[in-house]
Amino acid sequence: MFIFLLIASLAEAQEASALAVADSLYAVGNYSAAIEHYESIQPKKESIYLKLARAHQAKGTLDNALSNYAKAATGTEEVIAMNEYGKLLITKHKFKEADSVFTKLISVYETNPEFYYQRGRAIENMPKNIKVTASDSLEDRKEILYPYLSDYEKAVALDSTHQKALSELATFFLKKKDFKMVEKLAFKALESYPTNVEIIGTLAQSYYYKGWNEETIIWFEKLISLGQNSQFIREKLGNAYYKDRMYELAIEQYLEALKFSPEDAHLHATLAKLYNYTKDLKSAEIHGLFAVLYKDQPLDEEYYTLSRTYEMKKDWANAMKYVKRSLAENPENKNAEYTQAVVADNYYEDKRAVLKLYEDFITKHSSSKYAKFDPTLKLAKERAVILNREIFMAEGEQE
């Protein structure tokens, strides 16, 4: 009996020593060595399988992590193991299995908000074969189409500060363009976590899509002040400044956006327009040319913007060249049609040719139901009258 106890005691001491070494290796990030020491421990308890699972997950060998989590999720630390196992299943896109794990956890721990949130994530990403009928109520349709929503809502009901569940709900309502609900959820989340960049980003987008430029600017600027920086943020903020006619500030943001995508034709085209507004015609010309260079067909708007730049520079030859290219791309570009007549008015010596361009423009657009409110049509008519008079007087002098 004494010998048996001695052997058992020595085995426990060896196991404790191997475990201590493995834990130390895991703590400093030497996961492969830690795994080797954990594997040497025989027989393995569920707690060792849990440590193995965590080490494999930290190392990135996720399939091995999953198999060890499955073995660990049967012992005294079952809840901890199952929770981590379920999250890893989601990471590995095994959504059905994850749903099963969190459903089991919820059946025992009904008031744990995190389990509802994780199950919601799993259900949201599961393949769907959804059918609704005319007899289904709105509430039934919601449950059929979006079964994960009730889990996110339950998580928030159990913990009103659950940031991730609030964020998921806010994102859902943003997609549905229910901006009032987005703002309600976002401000609720910000009460307990004022610097939550995911929530702030969702709130900024809500205001952007509503067209509330001042609020859009405030919240996108807040994101930047918190260290967030992306083409999306810069472009949307620039567009809000553009809409509020703060052109210099818009230019700053579009130039920042351009750092993420130097060959983005849309960014160059927008900068060309903005520089036209600020009368920086050299910069407008540069970005206009880049827009043409980088954009696939059609290019009518880019050519039109370039023609306007050259028009303001009084470079009539280039202005005519690019406005003609714009109309070749899109003969229905009304702004380009009018610009062509104006450029010709300054460039052509043949006033009859100029008059014809104005008259063609007037004939084409006078039948529009908005004709009486069209300033370009009014200007074209006024100029046509003057040109007719000038041509008549010139011909009279020649006689």
Side-chain angles (χ1 to χ4, degrees), residues 302-318:
E302 286 68 27
Y303 285 140
Y304 169 68
T305 298
L306 261 176
S307 73
R308 291 283 293 128
T309 299
Y310 286 120
E311 180 190 352
M312 287 187 278
K313 291 178 74 172
K314 301 190 186 304
D315 182 347
W316 307 116
N318 273 320

Side-chain angles (χ1 to χ4, degrees), residues 55-273:
H56 275 294
Q57 184 166 0
K59 182 182 175 182
T61 47
L62 301 186
D63 287 336
N64 289 330
L66 281 174
S67 64
N68 281 288
Y69 271 127
K71 294 172 185 175
T74 57
T76 55
E77 296 183 86
E78 177 182 8
V79 178
I80 296 171
M82 284 184 71
N83 182 36
E84 293 181 21
Y85 179 42
K87 290 178 182 178
L88 185 55
L89 285 167
I90 293 173
T91 299
K92 290 287 290 178
H93 293 185
K94 296 180 180 292
F95 302 118
K96 187 175 181 180
E97 294 91 331
D99 174 25
S100 177
V101 167
F102 286 110
T103 296
K104 288 177 183 177
L105 285 170
I106 288 167
S107 69
V108 180
Y109 302 94
E110 296 180 0
T111 59
N112 187 318
E114 181 66 10
F115 296 159
Y116 287 99
Y117 166 69
Q118 296 297 343
R119 186 173 70 174
R121 289 178 64 208
I123 294 171
E124 183 175 6
N125 288 285
M126 284 169 62
K128 297 172 180 63
N129 185 16
I130 296 168
K131 291 181 181 179
V132 293
T133 65
S135 61
D136 291 324
S137 67
L138 286 175
E139 195 61 31
D140 288 340
R141 288 187 183 193
K142 176 184 170 185
E143 187 59 36
I144 292 167
L145 292 170
Y146 316 110
Y148 52 88
L149 275 188
S150 59
D151 277 339
Y152 292 147
E153 290 168 346
K154 183 69 173 178
V156 172
L158 290 166
D159 178 4
S160 63
T161 67
H162 198 296
Q163 297 292 312
K164 290 183 177 179
L166 286 164
S167 181
E168 291 288 353
L169 287 169
T171 301
F172 171 81
F173 286 110
L174 179 66
K175 291 175 182 176
K176 296 297 175 185
K177 298 184 179 179
D178 187 343
F179 303 123
K180 186 176 180 179
M181 184 59 76
V182 173
E183 289 148 30
K184 178 182 177 181
L185 291 162
F187 284 118
K188 186 180 184 70
L190 293 174
E191 285 176 7
S192 55
Y193 186 8
T195 56
N196 184 331
V197 293
E198 288 184 7
I199 288 289
I200 292 170
T202 303
L203 184 60
Q205 289 178 69
S206 177
Y207 285 125
Y208 178 85
Y209 294 120
K210 276 174 70 174
W212 290 21
N213 295 321
E214 289 185 23
E215 289 79 4
T216 298
I217 290 166
I218 289 168
W219 290 103
F220 273 122
E221 287 284 13
K222 178 75 171 175
L223 272 183
I224 292 170
S225 73
L226 291 170
Q228 301 300 299
N229 192 22
S230 68
Q231 181 175 337
F232 179 85
I233 291 171
R234 296 293 185 171
E235 196 170 343
K236 293 295 181 280
L237 178 56
N239 190 250
Y241 278 128
Y242 191 167
K243 289 177 179 176
D244 267 7
R245 300 185 180 183
M246 292 186 275
Y247 300 131
E248 295 287 357
L249 292 172
I251 286 169
E252 288 178 18
Q253 296 305 320
Y254 277 103
L255 287 173
E256 288 296 322
L258 205 59
K259 292 177 183 178
F260 293 93
S261 186
E263 297 184 5
D264 189 315
H266 173 70
L267 295 179
H268 283 293
T270 304
L271 280 164
K273 292 176 184 177

